[in-house]
Amino acid sequence: MSTLQRPRPVRTDPVPPHYRTYVRELLTFGTVGFLGTVITIGGANLMRTWLGGSPLLSVVVPTMISTMTSYLLHRYWTFAGSASDGSGREVAVFFGLNGVGMLIQVVCTGFTYYTLGLHGGLAYNMGLLVGLAFASAFRYWSYKKWVFTPATA
């Protein structure tokens, strides 16, 4: 019997097709977005109805809480395979872009409330949802472009 053993074949995991990675990323982005939407809409309605907050402040505060939650979930789940330079640039750009997203939401809510004069709960929530839809599209595009960039070799 020989002391030499045959080398075992190296097991390599197949690289998933690009569309699977994209679909997984989109599903996790959507899940985080759903959680953020629940935080934003729930918080906005709570502040507006029960706490008597202004319609715009009622959008800003829950959106800030949602943004903090979303950053952590996106960094460590949705875009976990992306590079991070660790310098704080990613965090600053993320929160800056979320500020733009929040502005989109505030403009849609303010337009519904102040320009159209629709003050009911249904109109408020519809304005909020339209703003969230536009802001979510902007956020996904901007995160891919400027925040969670592919790892460099």
Side-chain angles (χ1 to χ4, degrees):
M1 209 162 179
S2 172
T3 58
L4 296 175
Q5 293 181 342
R6 279 189 314 168
R8 292 185 178 166
V10 176
R11 181 173 176 234
T12 58
D13 292 330
V15 176
H18 182 67
Y19 72 89
R20 284 189 186 167
T21 303
Y22 179 71
V23 168
R24 185 204 66 81
E25 187 177 271
L26 214 59
L27 288 173
T28 56
F29 184 85
T31 302
V32 172
F34 177 76
L35 178 61
T37 300
V38 168
I39 292 169
T40 300
I41 291 176
N45 281 292
L46 176 71
M47 285 188 67
R48 183 173 172 267
T49 307
W50 295 341
L51 303 177
S54 78
L56 300 184
L57 183 63
S58 296
V59 173
V60 172
V61 173
T63 300
M64 291 170 68
I65 294 167
S66 172
T67 298
M68 289 185 278
T69 304
S70 295
Y71 174 76
L72 294 172
L73 288 171
H74 284 315
R75 171 72 271 157
Y76 297 106
W77 187 35
T78 306
F79 300 105
S82 300
S84 176
D85 60 8
S87 68
R89 173 206 152 282
E90 176 182 280
V91 175
V93 172
F94 180 87
F95 282 95
L97 293 171
N98 268 281
V100 174
M102 185 168 44
L103 180 64
I104 292 169
Q105 290 172 230
V106 167
V107 166
C108 290
T109 304
F111 179 78
T112 302
Y113 194 85
Y114 294 110
T115 305
L116 298 179
L118 302 173
H119 299 264
L122 180 61
Y124 177 78
N125 282 299
M126 290 307 293
L128 189 59
L129 282 172
V130 168
L132 279 167
F134 284 131
S136 293
F138 168 77
R139 286 179 179 123
Y140 182 76
W141 171 78
S142 65
Y143 294 170
K144 292 278 292 174
K145 184 159 181 75
W146 292 305
V147 182
F148 302 112
T149 57
T152 56

